[in-house]
Amino acid sequence: MENHDKAQLQSFLKTLPPVEFCCVYGSSLHPNNPGSAKSTMVDCILGVSNPQQWHSENLTLNNDHYAAWMVLLGGARLITDVADEIGVGVHFNPFVSWDDKMFKYGVVRMHDLVQDILNWERFYLSGRLQKPVHVLLDNLDVTNVNSVNLRAAMSAALLLLPSKFTEEQLYAKICSLSYMGDLRMLFAEDRNKVKKIVQGQFELFRSMYKPFIEEYETKELLRRSVSGNTQPIISQDGGLSAAQSLVSSLPPMVRSQMAMKLGEKKVLCDSGRVIQEIVIGSKDEAAKCMQTILQRKVMVSSARQAVSGLLAAGGITAMRYVGAKMSKAWKSWR
C-alpha cells in the first residue's frame, strides 16, 4: 500500500469513533495490480469492542454514512441487530465519499472477529484474512492470532490439492476456499476473481505462507523441487498419516463437524495422553467431507450477508453496489 494512500486512510479513520483493529483488503490495496484504478473503492474492516455504542457515536459524527431508514427507525440498535441477527455480525457502509476517495467500511465486534479466525464459525472475515491485507491498526494483536487461520487455510488447501502442484496453484486453492458455495459467484462476481487476486498479489501470498510451507517441509509433509526458470513443483505426501496431520490443523468447529460425519476413535499419542481422532479412510474422503462443510458455511454466510448488506445500504445505494458487482461479473463472462 502506497504511503499516500496509507496517510489518507489514517486521516479518514480520524473522522470515525476509535477502533481496536483496522485492515484494508481488496483491489485498492495494491494500485499497481492489473484492473486497479485510482477510482477503486477502498475496502476496510474495523474491529470495535461494542458495535452498538460505536454506531451510536458514529451516527452523531457521520449520520450520512448510513441508510436513512435505519437511522429513522432504530438507529444504532437496529443497525447492530440487522448485522447480528440477519447478517454475520458485520455492518457495511459502502460508497462513503471523503477527500476525493470512495470508502467502504465494515464494522465487527472484536470477539466475533477472533472467534471466526480461530473457529471458522461463519467463515466470512476469516476467509478475507487468508488473503493479503494491510493492517493499519492492531491493538489486540489480531495479526498474531491470524497465524492459526493461515495454517488452517494451508492445510485445507493441501487436502484438496493433488500430489503435485505449483506455488501459484496452492495460493489459488487457499484463495478459493472462502468462495466455495458463495452465491455471489453465480451472478455478481468476476469468474476470474481468484486468478486475478493470486497473480496480482503473488509476492504477498508468498510472504504470508512461506513460514508454513517451510514448517510443512520440516514435518516432511511437503517437498519442493526446482527445474529451470519455472515455479518450483511442490509434492505432498498423500498417505493417511499426512492427511490426519492436515486435518488436525483445521479449526475445532470444522473438525467437530467432520467427526460427526466420519466418526471418531481414541488414540494414544506420543505424550501418553488419550485423544479423540477423526476416522479417515483416505485423503480424498477427508477432503470431500471438509469441502462439503465449508461450502455450506460459505453458502449460508454469503446469503445472510447479502440480505443484511442490501438492508444496511438502503435502496439506491444497494442497487448501485449490486449493479457495479454484476457489471464486473458480466464482463468476465464475455
Side-chain angles (χ1 to χ4, degrees):
M1 191 175 189
E2 293 179 350
N3 288 334
H4 169 71
D5 294 331
K6 200 186 303 182
Q8 191 177 37
L9 182 52
Q10 286 170 336
S11 296
F12 174 67
L13 283 178
K14 289 176 182 176
T15 70
L16 305 174
V19 301
E20 298 288 345
F21 173 79
C22 173
C23 74
V24 183
Y25 65 93
S27 56
S28 64
L29 187 57
H30 311 292
N32 294 326
N33 283 353
S36 287
K38 290 292 179 185
S39 59
T40 303
M41 187 153 53
V42 177
D43 299 307
C44 47
I45 297 296
L46 308 178
V48 303
S49 56
N50 185 327
Q52 186 171 326
Q53 182 183 328
W54 191 92
H55 288 302
S56 180
E57 293 174 24
N58 199 36
L59 282 167
T60 304
L61 296 171
N62 303 293
N63 185 288
D64 58 323
H65 289 188
Y66 297 86
W69 80 271
M70 297 193 92
V71 177
L72 290 171
L73 295 183
R77 182 171 181 176
L78 177 62
I79 291 163
T80 308
D81 285 348
V82 168
D84 288 343
E85 304 302 327
I86 297 176
V88 291
V90 192
H91 171 87
F92 281 100
N93 282 332
F95 296 110
V96 175
S97 181
W98 187 83
D99 194 23
D100 295 326
K101 198 79 175 174
M102 203 69 77
F103 293 86
K104 180 181 81 174
Y105 62 90
V107 181
V108 63
R109 187 179 289 102
M110 284 302 301
H111 175 268
D112 294 347
L113 174 61
V114 171
Q115 284 305 305
D116 201 39
I117 287 171
L118 295 177
N119 284 314
W120 294 3
E121 189 171 342
R122 264 84 180 259
F123 203 38
Y124 187 71
L125 292 181
S126 50
R128 292 203 189 280
L129 291 173
Q130 289 165 1
K131 307 171 190 72
V133 297
H134 184 89
V135 177
L136 274 162
L137 180 68
D138 190 5
N139 292 342
L140 299 179
D141 205 11
V142 171
T143 304
N144 187 44
V145 175
N146 195 48
S147 63
V148 175
N149 182 30
L150 299 184
R151 184 181 288 104
M154 183 157 152
S155 295
L158 289 173
L159 281 170
L160 296 169
L161 283 164
S163 58
K164 291 186 178 180
F165 48 89
T166 64
E167 205 175 340
E168 185 175 318
Q169 287 170 331
L170 170 62
Y171 303 147
K173 187 60 71 177
I174 289 170
C175 186
S176 70
L177 292 175
S178 57
Y179 295 125
M180 295 190 304
D182 190 333
L183 299 175
R184 297 170 305 169
M185 296 302 287
L186 299 175
F187 66 93
E189 288 290 0
D190 186 340
R191 64 184 298 194
N192 301 310
K193 184 168 187 169
V194 169
K195 184 179 179 181
K196 287 179 179 177
I197 290 172
V198 173
Q199 290 184 348
Q201 304 177 17
F202 183 83
E203 291 302 325
L204 292 166
F205 271 100
R206 176 175 273 174
S207 65
M208 283 175 76
Y209 287 97
K210 184 183 177 185
F212 304 104
I213 292 174
E214 291 174 348
E215 176 189 325
Y216 282 25
E217 280 183 306
T218 303
K219 291 179 177 178
E220 298 185 348
L221 295 172
L222 294 181
R223 191 170 62 254
R224 279 184 289 185
S225 56
V226 183
S227 57
N229 296 322
T230 59
Q231 279 187 43
I233 298 296
I234 304 174
S235 306
Q236 67 167 322
D237 183 345
L240 271 180
S241 177
Q244 195 67 253
S245 180
L246 294 175
V247 168
S248 70
S249 292
L250 297 176
M253 189 169 284
V254 176
R255 292 203 310 270
S256 175
Q257 289 173 304
M258 289 180 70
M260 287 174 65
K261 291 175 180 287
L262 300 176
E264 284 184 303
K265 62 181 178 181
K266 291 182 178 179
V267 176
L268 185 67
C269 62
D270 295 338
S271 64
R273 288 190 308 116
V274 176
I275 59 170
Q276 294 289 113
E277 193 175 81
I278 298 168
V279 177
I280 296 173
S282 68
K283 176 175 176 278
D284 284 346
E285 181 185 53
K288 285 174 184 173
C289 181
M290 179 202 68
Q291 186 172 24
T292 302
I293 290 165
L294 295 186
Q295 281 176 332
R296 176 161 178 76
K297 280 181 180 289
V298 173
M299 183 176 68
V300 171
S301 290
S302 65
R304 287 180 61 175
Q305 189 56 38
V307 175
S308 170
L310 290 174
L311 291 172
I316 296 172
T317 304
M319 291 301 293
R320 184 181 173 191
Y321 184 68
V322 172
K325 282 280 187 183
M326 290 182 74
S327 174
K328 255 191 192 178
W330 290 343
K331 282 177 185 175
S332 75
W333 282 90
R334 284 177 188 170

